[in-house]
Amino acid sequence: MVAPEEALRVGLFGGTFDPVHQGHIELALHVLVRCQLDRLLFIPALLPPHKRQPVASFVHRAAMIEVALADCRETGGRIHCSRIEERLPAPSYTHNTVEALMREEAGCRYSLVIGADSLLDLPNWHRIDELLQAVDLIVVKRDSVDRAGVDRALAALGPTFARDDGSGQWHGRGGRIALYLDDTELPVSSSAIRGELVEGRASPLLPPPVLAYVRRHQLYGWKDFL
């Protein structure tokens, strides 16, 4: 049994990533360093239960993450794409994903990276009580939710979490913690980028390997306009 202080600390960054862009990469790098994680996993959703269904297939979205990370030297080999949801039943419930990761790689301490807006909806998530006992939370700023709103949302999860004013963290059952990051922000939706691509315009937010992949596979209605 691996002691908690010896466990690998792994961040879980889920989403549709339709497509992945520079904002996602920069956020992942910031969280990796800021939260002193050993690794961070991008986890593209196969079939998100509460969101619009992705435009690109799971295979294409995962491949775009992989080419973006392969081109990013700053990751130091510590940020990867996990295709685990491809092997799990749909829809893609976070609890099921975490449970599968824990079966495949025991001895890790997992931290779920979510936006402050998702935090507000957390009580409605599938098997949320079990999920909150299995992972730490890293909550990332969103303009639509202020710090007071984050505090209220975390307090509403009680008795799961209670504020520790000394450390600025929230502490939950089983030694779980929640941390709010107000020095970075969850990236904007990829929908604007898709709108540019359908018009044959290359968004500056797209890493060059991702744009090359989009062009090669003619994704998002892309056409090479002459």
Side-chain angles (χ1 to χ4, degrees), residues 19-22 60 63-65 67-68 71 193-194 196-220 222-224:
V20 67
H21 57 70
Q22 196 59 40
H60 282 315
M64 285 187 282
I65 295 171
V67 298
D71 190 60
I193 293 174
R194 294 196 300 271
E196 292 178 284
L197 290 171
V198 78
E199 296 175 0
R201 293 186 290 124
S203 170
L205 281 174
L206 275 187
V210 175
L211 177 60
Y213 188 97
V214 168
R215 295 181 65 176
R216 183 163 65 253
H217 295 278
Q218 299 286 287
L219 300 180
Y220 307 113
W222 171 275
K223 291 182 173 37
D224 285 305

Side-chain angles (χ1 to χ4, degrees), residues 39 52 73 76 90 93 104 106 139-140 160 175 177 215 218 221:
R39 284 189 288 138
R52 173 198 57 79
R73 296 180 181 177
Y93 290 118
E104 292 190 5
V139 182
V140 181
T160 305
I177 63 171
R215 295 181 65 176
Q218 299 286 287

Side-chain angles (χ1 to χ4, degrees), residues 96-113:
N96 296 348
T97 302
V98 170
E99 197 173 54
L101 285 168
M102 294 175 71
R103 284 196 303 268
E104 292 190 5
E105 191 169 1
C108 292
R109 181 167 183 136
Y110 292 106
S111 296
L112 187 64
V113 181

Side-chain angles (χ1 to χ4, degrees), residues 49 56 148 186 188:
L186 198 68
V188 296

